[in-house]
Amino acid sequence: MAVHAHPDDESSKGAATMARYAADGVDVLVVTCTGGERGDVLNPRLQDDPLVLTDLPARRRLEMDAAARALGVRQTWLGFVDSGLPEGDPLPPLPEGCFALAPLTETVPALVAQIREFRPQVLLTYDENGGYPHPDHIMTHVVSMAAVEAAADPEQHPELGEAWQVPKVYYHASFSRARMSAVHEALLERGAESPFGDWLKDWDGRGGRTVTCRVECSPYFPQRDAALLAHATQIDPDGFFFAVPRDVEAQVWPWEEFELVSSTVATEAMEDDLFAGVRP
């Protein structure tokens, strides 16, 4: 189970890993906390498209369906409303009724119900900073960790089904400095432009995650790209996500990375399989 804040997050974080496991016969479920209703149209080709602007939430649901098909996974909505990304100084208040302001007494049981029904062996979510400080990403972390704990406790929400202890919980560590540096150097060696130069120059050494699992998934980069492109309102085909030639990426960094944060089974310092210890 991969818990994400908005439609398109699943395609930019751990998508090739999900596609790999789905192709191996694993039942993979993406739980999307919000409908992405307040997301901007980031693809310049569609910013003035009247068909998009008429009903963006409906369009994003169709995009999510297409992305799930591209990855070979199942997907469900948790049913909360996008909080938007506040901008300005000082920041404006979050909109009433949004996911980031919803009480945990509503959001946590909604995810507990999904965990107890699906009974995942592995759950993927965001770190305490949300991967980046979007209020919905941070809330996704809070809700995910609270729901994992509550789902395992038979005294909490007995009306939501039999208790289930998730054996392994991981944070995404998709944008590690090691990955950026390796790809950056490989591009410069080939005389190509790197999209990571400014990012690495401004790196202050803080905020990096402790990677404990690298899943080799380069054969599934095409599925990941197809899922990204399915989110046409959010993803610019000429933008950041496609700035690195895939042959270079596959050669230099054929993995997606994760940080193990909770486990009921014995683990190693560095894994190559999210399911290590929970299946033969």
Side-chain angles (χ1 to χ4, degrees):
M1 174 182 286
V3 185
H4 286 285
H6 312 105
D8 75 65
D9 287 327
E10 83 297 325
S11 297
S12 60
K13 304 165 193 64
T17 295
M18 291 193 294
R20 168 191 155 169
Y21 284 120
D24 288 344
V26 175
D27 190 7
V28 180
L29 177 66
V30 171
V31 178
T32 312
C33 293
T34 81
E37 297 88 351
R38 291 190 169 95
D40 295 326
V41 178
L42 301 178
N43 184 346
R45 294 169 174 80
L46 297 177
Q47 286 176 343
D48 298 317
D49 188 324
L51 295 178
V52 170
L53 300 176
T54 297
D55 193 344
L56 181 60
R59 175 64 178 263
R60 298 207 69 184
R61 294 180 78 89
L62 292 174
E63 291 175 347
M64 183 66 251
D65 289 344
R69 289 194 299 272
L71 297 175
V73 304
R74 295 197 283 140
Q75 186 267 342
T76 191
W77 303 93
L78 211 58
F80 296 96
V81 177
D82 186 355
S83 305
L85 182 59
E87 296 179 300
D89 186 14
L91 292 174
L94 293 172
E96 184 178 351
C98 71
F99 177 56
L101 296 180
L104 296 182
T105 52
E106 296 178 7
T107 54
V108 172
L111 186 55
V112 168
Q114 294 293 334
I115 291 172
R116 288 183 176 172
E117 179 180 358
F118 188 66
R119 303 172 76 81
Q121 294 173 305
V122 172
L123 186 140
L124 307 178
T125 190
Y126 309 149
D127 63 40
E128 62 275 8
N129 299 311
Y132 81 105
H134 189 298
D136 285 338
H137 285 240
I138 294 171
M139 184 55 71
T140 296
H141 160 80
V142 172
V143 171
S144 295
M145 301 310 290
V148 166
E149 181 178 351
D153 184 351
E155 295 186 2
Q156 294 196 50
H157 307 293
E159 75 283 1
L160 298 179
E162 184 180 355
W164 176 253
Q165 174 72 63
V166 181
K168 299 179 82 175
V169 178
Y170 290 88
Y171 295 155
H172 291 282
S174 305
F175 299 102
S176 69
R177 177 174 171 80
R179 177 194 171 208
M180 302 298 183
S181 296
V183 175
H184 176 75
E185 294 299 329
L187 290 171
L188 295 185
E189 288 172 4
R190 291 162 172 79
E193 184 177 352
S194 168
F196 304 132
D198 289 342
W199 192 91
L200 291 168
K201 182 176 64 176
D202 295 337
W203 172 263
D204 61 7
R206 296 180 298 174
R209 305 307 308 182
T210 302
V211 172
T212 64
C213 185
R214 283 180 173 170
V215 179
E216 206 290 327
C217 53
S218 57
Y220 299 93
F221 287 172
Q223 286 90 330
R224 177 196 64 190
D225 289 350
L228 281 166
L229 290 170
H231 291 288
T233 58
Q234 298 295 297
I235 303 297
D236 181 356
D238 299 321
F240 171 82
F241 287 110
F242 301 97
V244 178
R246 290 301 180 243
D247 59 335
V248 175
E249 183 181 16
Q251 179 181 355
V252 175
W253 205 264
W255 311 284
E256 288 179 337
E257 295 179 309
F258 306 87
E259 177 185 1
L260 181 67
V261 293
S262 173
S263 179
T264 63
V265 300
T267 61
E268 298 180 356
M270 178 61 76
E271 303 171 304
D272 61 5
D273 180 9
L274 296 176
F275 291 90
V278 296
R279 66 176 185 178

